Amino acid sequence: GSWEMDMLSGTLTWSDELYRLLGYNPGEFQPSFDRIVHHLHKEERDKFLELHNNSLEKNPDEIQMEWRIVRTDQQIRIMTTRSMIERDRNGRPTRVYGILQDITEQKLMQQQLERFAAAIEYAAETVMIMAADGAIQYVNPATQRLTGFTNPEVVGKNPFFTTQGVYSSDFYRSVWETLRSGTVWQGQMTNIGKDGRRYELEAVISPIRDTSGDITGYISIGRDITKELALEQQLRQSQKMEAIGTLAGGIAHDFNNILSAIIGYTELACEQLPESGQLRHNLLQVLKAADRAKNLVQQILAFSRKSQMGHQPIPFAATITDALKLLRPTLPSTIE
């Protein structure tokens, strides 16, 4: 809406559109400066009047301001005004004219974009925006922290036509062809950071379309799953160890039964032989070996049990000796 004020006569005129901006029908009342002030938001009035008066007295001849207006239907709208001041040869204002424009939708869109930008900046997920040709236009701080590369180092580069020593060029080409066809790509990939460290990324890359449906770019949102995969690997290893423990426990029980027979029959044979005979001496060595095997089986059974163990005093030196005997076969002979 346009308006004009003759400072000599005090006459104010404005266009029909300015009536509509305030919520009235054109020509519904005689335009007046007080009417404008009346429709200003109460928090804006004093500031508006102060700036208006100062502008007439000493400020430049062009003024641009932004205000909140309360329409007649109580809607609050954001307006911008641009005014021009004509003065006589003594510098006194003779005519003021300008335009009033409703920028509420633009302001709301700007606020929404700022919220989106803040969300992307503070997001824990990696965000990368690419142009239609695949060239990187922006990466958020999370991406920079994960990869080690800054925005200036990657902007303009195309991630789909590079080999990073992890995948062949055919892999990146297939991803690129999927996106160019307008299809969303999602999957897991291994990348290499600036410091050479590998990391696992679970990513979704989507085409960005304009109002006509044409692809104008792509956005990639990823999540670092390196630690999750490492924990998953540890869990699988733990499950393997648990399975091995269960297997060892089952074998140990069977072996214990075999040892019982060996020990029992050897003891019976020893009782039927004279104490000074060589055969009895040999059988006693068999009993010692079987006893050591029995102790080893008991340790394997203790390791494989899932129940909680109780605490009790033990001969510490003997425990160390037994542990060393158990470790000895698994250690290289160069270790003492």
Side-chain angles (χ1 to χ4, degrees):
S2 59
W3 56 273
E4 179 179 343
M5 186 171 188
D6 187 333
M7 301 300 294
L8 300 178
S9 64
T11 303
L12 176 64
T13 57
W14 60 50
S15 65
D16 290 346
E17 186 59 31
L18 201 146
Y19 278 104
R20 297 188 186 98
L21 289 175
L22 298 178
Y24 296 103
N25 295 320
E28 189 171 333
F29 55 85
Q30 186 65 30
S32 68
F33 184 76
D34 290 340
R35 179 76 66 166
I36 293 291
V37 174
H38 170 74
H39 280 282
L40 284 171
H41 194 281
K42 60 182 180 180
E43 296 177 0
E44 311 272 19
R45 290 173 187 169
D46 292 341
K47 182 180 176 182
F48 173 83
L49 291 171
E50 180 182 359
L51 184 58
H52 175 75
N53 294 330
N54 289 339
S55 300
L56 292 177
E57 294 177 5
K58 53 188 177 183
N59 278 16
D61 293 340
E62 183 175 342
I63 311 164
Q64 188 160 347
M65 298 179 289
E66 188 177 297
W67 310 102
R68 285 177 294 170
I69 294 290
V70 182
R71 286 166 42 99
T72 186
D73 57 6
Q74 300 305 306
Q75 285 189 47
I76 298 177
R77 310 292 291 180
I78 302 173
M79 305 284 179
T80 180
T81 61
R82 185 180 178 186
S83 309
M84 300 293 293
I85 303 175
E86 292 183 357
R87 304 177 187 272
D88 60 18
R89 63 182 60 188
N90 297 320
R92 291 174 299 184
T94 58
R95 176 172 171 261
V96 182
Y97 60 94
I99 57 172
L100 183 72
Q101 184 180 4
D102 188 338
I103 60 169
T104 307
E105 277 70 29
Q106 293 96 312
K107 276 290 182 181
L108 292 176
M109 181 63 70
Q110 180 182 348
Q111 293 171 2
Q112 187 177 19
L113 290 174
E114 289 173 354
R115 286 195 295 269
F116 287 157
I120 291 175
E121 285 288 306
Y122 291 102
E125 291 76 13
T126 64
V127 178
M128 179 170 62
I129 298 175
M130 295 162 281
D133 61 356
I136 298 174
Q137 295 178 319
Y138 166 83
V139 293
N140 72 336
T143 306
Q144 298 177 51
R145 288 192 298 269
L146 178 63
T147 65
F149 293 102
T150 61
N151 245 315
E153 290 176 310
V154 298
V155 167
K157 296 182 179 179
N158 192 317
F160 301 109
F161 298 111
T162 178
T163 55
Q164 305 179 50
V166 179
Y167 303 106
S168 66
S169 57
D170 293 338
F171 171 79
Y172 297 102
R173 190 177 294 109
S174 67
V175 175
W176 175 238
E177 291 300 327
T178 300
L179 293 172
R180 288 189 62 189
S181 68
T183 305
V184 175
W185 183 91
Q186 60 181 0
Q188 179 183 323
M189 60 175 63
T190 303
N191 290 331
I192 299 179
K194 187 177 181 180
D195 58 0
R197 180 184 63 88
R198 293 194 178 197
Y199 60 91
E200 301 293 332
L201 196 68
E202 189 177 62
V204 177
I205 309 176
S206 307
I208 302 173
R209 301 179 183 273
D210 58 17
T211 54
S212 61
D214 296 328
I215 296 176
T216 60
Y218 306 92
I219 180 169
S220 170
I221 300 176
R223 187 169 64 92
D224 182 10
I225 58 172
T226 308
K227 292 182 179 179
E228 292 180 17
L229 292 179
L231 289 174
E232 184 179 334
Q233 181 65 28
Q234 291 178 12
L235 177 60
R236 284 200 294 267
Q237 184 64 25
S238 175
Q239 290 171 338
K240 287 180 182 179
M241 293 299 296
E242 183 178 352
I244 291 173
T246 303
L247 178 62
I251 294 174
H253 275 293
D254 291 339
F255 190 53
N256 204 34
N257 293 333
I258 296 172
L259 283 175
S260 297
I262 293 173
I263 293 171
Y265 281 109
T266 303
E267 288 177 344
L268 289 174
C270 287
E271 290 179 359
Q272 298 174 13
L273 295 173
E275 294 185 3
S276 59
Q278 183 62 39
L279 184 56
R280 178 183 173 86
H281 174 76
N282 293 341
L283 289 176
L284 289 175
Q285 298 304 313
V286 173
L287 282 175
K288 288 182 180 179
D291 189 59
R292 287 198 298 269
K294 184 178 179 181
N295 290 333
L296 178 60
V297 169
Q298 292 302 320
Q299 293 184 50
I300 294 175
L301 288 172
F303 174 76
S304 63
R305 290 191 187 105
K306 296 181 180 179
S307 59
Q308 291 291 332
M309 299 298 175
H311 292 168
Q312 62 182 15
I314 59 170
F316 193 62
T319 304
I320 293 292
T321 302
D322 289 342
L324 290 175
K325 289 179 180 178
L326 186 63
L327 283 173
R328 182 71 270 176
T330 66
L331 297 177
S333 60
T334 55
I335 296 179
E336 182 179 344

